[in-house]
Amino acid sequence: MDWGESELLSPVVRDDFVTTAARRMKKVAFPSPGSPVLSSVTPARPTKRATPASLFRQAVTPRVPDVSSILAPGGRTPRYTHTPKSAYSGGNLDESDWTDSIYGFPSSGLENSSFTDDVTNLSSALLKEDDPGEAAAASLFPEFLESFLKHSSTAVFELLEEYQVILQDKVDVLQSVVLRAGQNSKTAGVRWLLQQENCSWRLITSLYRDRVQLALEDDIVTDMVVPSESEKVVVEQLFQRDAVIRQSQLVVDWLESIAKDQIGDFSDNIEYYAKNVCWENTLHALKLRRKRGAAFSIPLVTELDPDAPLRQQRPLADLDREDDARLLKNLFTLIRAGMTEEAQRLCKRCGQAWRAATLEGWKLYHDPNRTSVSAELQAVEGNPQRGIWKTCCWRMAEEEQLNRYERAIYAALSGNLKPLLVVCESWEDCVWAHFRVMVDSLVEKDLMSSGMAQQEVEMLPREYLEANWTMEKVFEELQASELKRVLEETKEHYHVIQKFVILGDLDGLLEEFSDWLTAAKPLPSHLLRFMTHLLLFYRSLGLALKEEVCVDVLKAYVSLLIRDQQTELVASYVSQLPAELATVQYAAFLETVSQPELRPRCLQLATDAGLDVAAVTKLVVETVRESDATQFTHHDQTLEIGTTKEDLRKIDVIDWLLFDPAHRSESLKQSNAIMRKFLALQKHDAAKAVFSKVPEDSMREIYCQWSGVGQTTPPPAEDENAIREHLCIRAYLEAHQAFTDWFSHSSSPPQKPTPASGAKFTERVANEMREKEYQAALSSWSCRLDVLTEDVKERIYNVLLFVDGGWMIDNREDCEPERGHQTAALRSLCLPRLTFLLLSVLQNSSRHQEALRLADIISSDQHRLYQVFSKEELRRFLQKLRESSLSLLDQGLDPLGYELQP
């Protein structure tokens, strides 16, 4: 499968509600597009809200047997003892500029323009690339590996936080490119992928930090409930003991943090006006009517209390209605981002302090004076009439005449899911709505069971009070959503991963991974990187995983790195595979490395990663040399065969065993195996090329290594046999080269000059000079031929009469049957061949008597060379000897070359 980057475009951006009134040039509360704040990307929230986290105890997420070493020193997350944000975070309705809290950038970050300049310059350079997004994000692969190797297994959460920092930096760079390249560019798709990955790591960090924390405190924390008259204390105890509600609140916080990051994008086209009077246009119309005493041409409200439009069933002025619609939409956006205090400030700044007060009633009641032993009175917290407030919010959410965003605001505060889902457009919005309602429902149920619930709350609809929410049910509801966009986003890879992370269902997650890997559509490379590092994170926690799926993911990622020529990264990820498979995978990678300068580096990386380099290099050579299906059998081929491209690959692969002297023994064995095949196929040039690669000191090095470890016994049989075989092959190649030299010389004798008939005196003199030169050259050629003849005879005899048992015969028993078969076949192929070559040399040199002596050597019981000849070869051999005997008879000698006796 080609693990290429799928062409993904960024998701649809929501249309902003902009009207004519929104374009009026007045002082604004949201930053305008020209504001310097918008020159930077809204950063991720630097800290999490103080919300209890949890360990969701399910069978699919086994408890870690010993997780005390997982949290880094000082990195232990404290148990939260106050109630969650949605139920009891404080609010301050002062008149300060609330935009400071939305865009809480350090002043130094705005004043220092060097970073912005660098990003601008970088984005300009990236725009020149064919795929600027992919070019900018390519460095994530080595950066993730560097972070992974830098952090030990005891600092996994520091590692996840560094992942987030790295991704956020890349998103910032890509954002500047997208602003210049357009939202529909490929770069926007890459940016979206990285944003989703960053959000996923944020979720994983939040949930698993708490899950590990709970595992550490499992023997300490008890489920004992202390009776209390305070709603706040009861809910605090609930969050301490109930993992499900704590985890659900973490999911809510996570989704709100994502929405908060996107606030900057949302506010680009929205303008607000600082005004102290609510509904100023309606107020102006009412004053005009009173002053002139004329009736309205269009009916308007006659009173300006908050309930007037609903009570009188009359509208506000058009501009005020537009302002209200925009205000309500943005108030909901702030609440969706967990920014309730900022929403209240905005209400006050727009002259709707009464609306800010309605957003205050959710706080749990707590009177510290009931349990305090101090004589000094302390301030009472929360809303003692929270039940009445919540019932009113529920009814307002059900009021169909109200703006849908106003209904959604109060639905979110009262746990009314249906009106809340009306304004939810994305997967994140729907998950947030369900989990927020789930937390609200579980809190109210606990208050009711503890006797703290107010009577008004019990008057809420039965479907709310009796709802049995679970995380699984939430995602089942999403699967049945009527929104096409939500259904499509439910199937997106990152949302599927986020779903299973929330559920803690590792088995289901790995099944999805397996399906993705086998699908026809290739996975985006960044998604595959995320999947790999997610599984490595789970491994570091000691969680039980399906090993075969983990192996498939790692193999797919390694294949991606090999395809993209990320040579520096392959070894580290291969080392995460089981030992045997790691050897196979890295050997397959080394087969693709053809640049000689990269090979030592690849082996060094393998050593640093803890791979078995000796086994890897051995497997590389064996795989390449066994890549063809040529049978090692006897054949009648006599012509020399040229070196093919595949032969050159086999010659080149032996280099892998020559970088480390410790592998010298293996290099000798593998080179012998390659040369055996070449010799059997009459590829002598290829065999010589392999032989020339083996260092001359290899045999001495093997003996030195053996004696260097304090051994006094001989080296192992396989090493000694390899050394002997190497010497046998050298003798054969020397004999063949000697014959080649002899044949080349004998085929090129000096040419005898031919005298021209009727030549003049000068021509005869010149001819005599050429004749003398010819005789001198012929004499020199004959002497050289005699020397070469003696040399080839000696070297062939060195093979035929090889010491200590014969050529290619081991002195010690070898346990490799395949090698024994090959050496025996090689004797049958090469020794008859050399014998016939020697016969041709002797006969062409008129040394027939020496040729006849070969019969004694071949038939000798000491050497038993006749055993390697076939019947046909023996018949040919005897025929050659007959020719020599006839030549001797023609010379007046007996058939054996001796003088005839009278």
Side-chain angles (χ1 to χ4, degrees), residues 84-102:
K85 175 208 72 70
S86 63
Y88 46 84
S89 66
N92 182 15
L93 302 182
D94 58 21
E95 293 289 348
S96 62
D97 189 352
W98 63 272
T99 56
D100 292 342
S101 59
I102 298 182

Side-chain angles (χ1 to χ4, degrees), residues 601-802:
R601 177 60 179 164
C602 291
L603 294 182
Q604 182 60 48
L605 291 170
T607 302
D608 296 342
L611 297 175
D612 187 349
V613 177
V616 168
T617 52
K618 177 181 177 182
L619 183 59
V620 174
V621 179
E622 288 181 342
T623 303
V624 172
R625 72 176 175 83
E626 296 173 359
S627 57
D628 58 13
T630 306
Q631 297 295 322
F632 203 104
T633 58
H634 194 282
H635 55 80
D636 296 329
Q637 183 175 286
T638 58
L639 297 177
E640 177 79 16
I641 299 179
T643 304
T644 65
K645 185 176 180 180
E646 184 63 26
D647 294 338
L648 292 175
R649 186 164 173 256
K650 294 179 181 178
I651 296 169
D652 185 58
V653 78
I654 203 67
D655 288 339
W656 287 113
L657 295 169
L658 302 178
F659 295 111
D660 189 349
H663 303 160
R664 201 60 60 83
S665 174
E666 189 62 36
S667 69
L668 210 60
K669 299 171 190 174
Q670 296 296 338
S671 63
N672 289 344
I674 295 174
M675 288 188 288
R676 285 198 300 268
K677 181 67 72 72
F678 284 153
L679 293 180
L681 297 175
Q682 289 276 62
K683 296 184 177 183
H684 295 97
D685 289 339
K688 292 172 187 176
V690 175
F691 187 87
S692 65
K693 283 184 172 292
V694 181
E696 295 181 358
D697 64 341
S698 293
M699 291 175 284
R700 184 174 68 252
E701 183 69 30
I702 293 172
Y703 280 110
C704 288
Q705 290 176 11
W706 182 253
S707 60
V709 295
Q711 297 291 339
T712 57
T713 59
E718 58 181 10
D719 288 353
E720 282 200 341
N721 291 338
I723 292 173
R724 178 176 173 82
E725 181 181 354
H726 185 75
L727 294 174
C728 291
I729 292 174
R730 182 174 73 177
Y732 180 85
L733 292 176
E734 288 174 350
H736 185 272
Q737 184 61 45
F739 174 79
T740 302
D741 294 342
W742 174 87
F743 182 78
S744 176
H745 186 75
S746 65
S747 303
S748 56
Q751 298 296 320
K752 184 177 181 179
T754 304
S757 58
K760 297 180 181 180
F761 174 76
T762 54
E763 293 177 351
R764 289 198 302 271
V765 172
N767 188 61
E768 289 175 1
M769 293 295 294
R770 286 194 292 270
E771 182 68 24
K772 289 181 180 180
E773 290 175 359
Y774 164 72
Q775 292 297 334
L778 181 60
S779 175
S780 176
W781 176 83
S782 299
C783 291
R784 175 62 178 164
L785 184 61
D786 290 341
V787 171
L788 292 175
T789 301
E790 288 296 326
D791 184 55
V792 69
K793 182 180 72 171
E794 178 185 355
R795 294 187 182 279
I796 291 179
Y797 274 130
N798 287 342
V799 176
L800 297 178
L801 306 177
F802 202 84

Side-chain angles (χ1 to χ4, degrees), residues 352-373:
Q352 297 191 15
W354 57 270
R355 193 184 297 279
T358 64
L359 304 181
E360 183 82 1
W362 53 266
K363 296 182 180 179
L364 296 172
Y365 180 70
H366 175 63
D367 186 356
N369 299 299
R370 293 187 176 185
T371 57
S372 175
V373 295

Side-chain angles (χ1 to χ4, degrees), residues 349-416:
R349 291 176 65 84
C350 292
Q352 297 191 15
W354 57 270
R355 193 184 297 279
T358 64
L359 304 181
E360 183 82 1
W362 53 266
K363 296 182 180 179
L364 296 172
Y365 180 70
H366 175 63
D367 186 356
N369 299 299
R370 293 187 176 185
T371 57
S372 175
V373 295
S374 174
E376 183 180 353
L377 291 178
Q378 302 180 39
V380 176
E381 303 176 20
N383 181 7
Q385 305 299 328
R386 192 180 61 84
I388 297 176
W389 169 87
K390 188 163 189 173
T391 304
C392 291
C393 287
W394 185 283
R395 292 174 180 174
M396 289 182 68
E398 295 288 332
E399 181 56 63
E400 295 183 357
Q401 296 185 45
L402 296 179
N403 178 281
R404 62 174 185 153
Y405 285 103
E406 185 171 14
R407 294 176 61 192
I409 290 170
Y410 295 108
L413 295 174
S414 61
N416 194 342

